[in-house]
Amino acid sequence: MSATSCFRRGCLFLFLGPVIVGLLLFFLFRLSNDLPDRFVLTVPLGGSLEEMSSARDAFPFSGEGEQLSFQDMLFILDHAAGDRRIETVLLEIGNLQASPAKITELRSAIARVRTRGRKVVAWLHSAEDSDYHLASACDSVIVERGGYLLLDGLKAETLYYTAPLEKLGISFQATQWREYKSGIEPFTRTGASPEYLAQMNALLDAVYSDYTDYVSKRRGISRDSLESVIDNIALVQADKAVKIGLADGIASHWELKRSMARRISGKEPEKAGDLFVSAAAYRESLDWPVKADTDDAVAVITLSGPIVRSVSGAAMASDEGADVGMLRRSLDAALEDKKVKALVLRIDSPGGEALAAADMLQMLDSAAVSKPLVVSMSGIAASGGYMAALAGKTVFTQPLTVTGSIGVYALKPDISALAAKTGLGRDVVTRGRFADANTAFKPLEGEAYRKFDEASGFIYDDFVAKVARSRKMSAAAVDSVAGGRVWTGRQALELGLADSTGGLFDAVREAQRLAKMDVSKKPRILLYPERQPWWQMFFDGGPAAVARSFGAAAIGEAVSPLPAGAMLRMIAIAVRSGRVQMLAAMPGEIIIR
């Protein structure tokens, strides 16, 4: 036998060995995920419920665990509705900070589970209004033993950075189109404008009315009684909550699980945990994200977070956001796949860089020529996020989606006072009258400021024209509902800015209909952007890209726990760059607590 032949056999073994081991591990993993014939599905619900998981896996040793996204929750509950093995769905709710629109979409998902014969139980860990709002959609509400309900009403809070920044020697010049475009206010005012207060009050009225109406109907109490609890009691102990009809029972987590296991097995269980399956484990056992009846597919492309040209140089994001390149790659993949018959654009974005949003709309309009495109608005689809929605043949919104905000603002940092305080000198040689006009070391004046303001106006007029063309309205009609005004999804329908009330699955069915697919069959759903391993950055941008992402992640970790963390990131990047930031954005996602 020749040495070459042995060498080739060795190469074959080296190639096949890992493949065989990988297959064995895969089948062992699948076997380990076999589920009981009857079980309780446990679903944790807390935090901000990001629309979808990060486009990249977390860095190793970053300490970040895998968290289920909002879309994960929707697909899991959709599977659970038809799974006869599931005796009960147990929602473990605490510290929920999701937008009102996401809570209403989850309410609908829970209702579908209940109508298919599955019992849904909410277990509340020291709940606040948002937690209780969602829990009221369930068959029963159990409060943690020793816990309470903090039902003190809703609030919307905005921080103003103008005064503290001026103490550091940093200020901003701004221009807005128009008076309701309030994104500049945290940097130019020390308190809210009348226009901003009017919008916040209108939003709070809509959310509070929906909250109190829904809870009172679900719990069988009058709205006046519920409002009396909010205004006069607020902190409701567990036993009091049961007595006045806000809850159905009190139990520790251990007690509740033992009780459920006893009901399933008919006897005192030796290991109650064997009858409980976590949402994460359940997901791994499924055909994900749906069990399809046909090979035809609908591509769901998500724009989540601030809209930016590129996440590496974003003004409003660290390592996250919806960037132009990500959307281009997603559209290319969906358009090239012949099995994909239609597109659904899912939007959960407050907007961002104005020209990046315009680029996205151009790409989406082009894609919609090849395949039907339907838009599904999630918690927020405002400003640049609304601009992207204009590509949809049909636009679905939740009643409490925050949308509209058709307007533009621009911010320019001025650190001349900081430079004077620190003794920082500067020498500049220029050619051209305005060559040094946009520097951060001095304010804009005279004609330079006029050009700065005009640039925002050009983008605003273009935005209005895009809305008029897409929504078949006159420019004057659009301008009357634009100017930065923010609307709920329900109001957007009345104003002609959206087409129908519905969630993600409603948009998928409409996409099927437009593509002339069989709507009685569940299509394959392909989710974009596709998730990439963190090490893919080495191939995309080399070591420098990895270093930038580590730095951005560090900034994000530092400021994300703070209120308006995205705004603080924007301050840091704007000052560092010294450039004018032209934005079609909300001040940030509105989470009403």
Side-chain angles (χ1 to χ4, degrees):
M1 183 180 294
S2 69
T4 302
S5 176
C6 290
F7 178 74
R8 285 176 178 169
R9 287 187 180 184
C11 286
L12 186 62
F13 175 78
L14 287 173
F15 174 75
L16 290 178
V19 173
I20 293 169
V21 171
L23 289 171
L24 286 172
L25 289 173
F26 172 77
F27 285 115
L28 286 172
F29 176 78
R30 293 297 297 219
L31 286 172
S32 70
N33 277 273
D34 285 344
L35 303 182
D37 293 334
R38 292 183 71 199
F39 62 90
V40 174
L41 176 64
T42 63
V43 182
L45 282 166
S48 59
L49 289 186
E50 297 298 327
E51 180 65 28
M52 66 183 304
S53 301
S54 171
R56 292 191 192 276
D57 292 327
F59 288 118
F61 316 117
S62 67
E64 297 180 11
E66 176 70 15
Q67 299 225 341
L68 294 174
S69 68
F70 182 64
Q71 287 185 21
D72 289 335
M73 297 294 180
L74 294 179
F75 286 118
I76 285 169
L77 291 173
D78 185 59
H79 277 279
D83 193 334
R84 295 184 178 180
R85 298 171 300 174
I86 296 176
E87 196 271 350
T88 301
V89 176
L90 174 60
L91 303 183
E92 299 171 346
I93 306 173
N95 193 32
L96 188 61
Q97 299 170 33
S99 65
K102 287 183 177 178
I103 291 175
T104 58
E105 191 163 3
L106 280 174
R107 281 180 355 198
S108 299
I110 292 167
R112 285 194 294 271
V113 175
R114 294 175 56 245
T115 56
R116 295 291 295 275
R118 293 329 132 230
K119 186 178 179 63
V120 185
V121 176
W123 183 77
L124 293 175
H125 173 69
S126 298
E128 298 187 25
D129 291 274
S130 292
D131 306 305
Y132 186 71
H133 185 179
L134 183 61
S136 66
C138 302
D139 292 292
S140 57
V141 177
I142 309 299
V143 180
E144 180 182 24
R145 187 172 298 284
Y148 55 84
L149 304 179
L150 181 57
L151 306 182
D152 55 355
L154 311 180
K155 73 173 183 179
E157 183 177 58
T158 303
L159 296 182
Y160 293 84
Y161 311 107
T162 305
L165 285 174
E166 284 179 350
K167 290 179 180 179
L168 298 175
I170 301 172
S171 62
F172 282 86
Q173 286 183 289
T175 180
Q176 65 181 131
W177 288 70
R178 294 192 171 121
E179 65 272 16
Y180 287 91
K181 195 64 180 175
S182 56
I184 65 169
E185 292 186 8
F187 308 103
T188 60
R189 298 176 61 97
T190 56
S193 67
E195 293 81 6
Y196 180 72
L197 284 176
Q199 293 190 107
M200 286 302 99
N201 276 301
L203 282 174
L204 272 177
D205 283 343
V207 176
Y208 189 68
S209 178
D210 177 84
Y211 166 45
T212 52
D213 281 347
Y214 183 81
V215 170
S216 60
K217 288 175 184 175
R218 288 289 304 150
R219 297 304 305 176
I221 60 177
S222 71
R223 178 170 170 173
D224 286 345
S225 297
L226 177 60
E227 290 185 356
S228 178
V229 169
I230 293 170
D231 292 333
N232 301 312
I233 303 176
L235 185 65
V236 187
Q237 298 296 332
D239 56 348
K240 177 76 170 178
V242 173
K243 184 178 180 180
I244 63 179
L246 295 177
D248 302 292
I250 303 169
S252 68
H253 199 243
W254 179 84
E255 287 174 320
L256 182 60
K257 282 196 166 185
R258 296 283 291 184
S259 172
M260 287 182 165
R262 192 182 305 117
R263 187 170 63 248
I264 294 175
S265 63
K267 60 182 181 180
E268 193 68 28
E270 294 181 7
K271 288 184 178 181
D274 291 344
L275 296 175
F276 291 80
V277 175
S278 71
Y282 184 61
R283 170 186 162 158
E284 293 301 326
S285 73
L286 299 171
D287 294 323
W288 190 258
V290 297
K291 185 176 182 180
D293 303 321
T294 174
D295 201 34
D296 289 339
V298 173
V300 175
I301 300 172
T302 299
L303 294 182
S304 179
I307 289 174
V308 296
R309 178 79 62 185
S310 167
V311 292
S312 63
M316 295 186 67
S318 55
D319 191 37
E320 298 299 328
D323 73 272
V324 173
M326 182 187 299
L327 178 62
R328 182 184 298 111
R329 290 189 295 273
S330 297
L331 286 173
D332 286 345
L335 293 174
E336 289 171 7
D337 190 336
K338 293 182 180 179
K339 295 292 185 180
V340 172
K341 305 301 181 183
L343 312 173
V344 170
L345 180 68
R346 176 76 167 183
I347 303 174
D348 189 37
S349 173
E353 296 179 28
L355 297 181
D359 282 354
M360 287 183 173
L361 177 58
Q362 186 176 30
M363 288 189 288
L364 290 163
D365 279 338
S366 178
V369 173
S370 302
K371 298 182 180 182
L373 190 152
V374 175
V375 168
S376 170
M377 293 180 173
S378 183
I380 182 169
S383 204
Y386 181 74
M387 186 187 293
L390 297 175
K393 175 72 174 176
T394 306
V395 176
F396 284 87
T397 180
Q398 289 292 321
L400 295 179
T401 296
V402 176
T403 189
S405 192
I406 301 165
V408 178
Y409 66 86
L411 288 167
K412 179 197 169 296
D414 175 10
I415 63 169
S416 56
L418 175 63
K421 283 182 178 182
T422 59
L424 177 63
R426 189 174 79 108
D427 229 354
V428 181
V429 178
T430 64
R431 294 295 184 274
R433 183 180 168 195
F434 298 107
D436 192 42
N438 287 331
T439 178
F441 287 91
K442 64 180 182 181
L444 290 167
E445 296 176 343
E447 191 174 351
Y449 182 84
R450 184 177 61 79
K451 291 181 181 296
F452 169 61
D453 187 51
E454 282 181 353
S456 299
F458 294 152
I459 295 174
Y460 175 75
D461 290 342
D462 182 63
F463 196 167
V464 168
K466 285 178 166 67
V467 177
R469 183 167 56 251
S470 173
R471 302 305 304 173
K472 296 179 173 55
M473 300 167 64
S474 68
V478 174
D479 189 53
S480 70
V481 299
R485 294 172 182 84
V486 175
W487 309 106
T488 65
R490 184 179 289 112
Q491 291 170 323
L493 289 171
E494 296 169 356
L495 297 170
L497 300 177
D499 300 300
S500 187
T501 299
L504 177 59
F505 298 119
D506 298 299
V508 169
R509 283 190 291 273
E510 175 66 7
Q512 286 181 270
R513 188 187 69 79
L514 291 174
K516 296 181 171 53
M517 299 168 65
D518 187 346
V519 294
S520 67
K521 295 182 178 180
K522 273 193 173 183
R524 286 191 304 129
I525 292 181
L526 304 180
L527 301 177
Y528 296 97
E530 295 177 299
R531 192 162 182 176
Q532 295 178 323
W534 68 270
W535 45 260
Q536 183 67 36
M537 280 185 289
F538 276 112
F539 299 99
D540 294 342
V546 178
R548 282 196 304 270
S549 289
F550 267 114
I555 293 173
E557 286 296 316
V559 303
S560 289
L562 301 174
M567 300 299 282
L568 293 177
R569 285 195 291 270
M570 191 180 82
I571 292 171
I573 295 172
V575 171
R576 185 181 67 191
S577 69
R579 297 196 304 264
V580 170
Q581 304 294 339
M582 199 73 67
L583 302 166
M586 294 277 291
E589 185 173 3
I590 296 173
I591 303 296
I592 298 174
R593 297 289 303 276

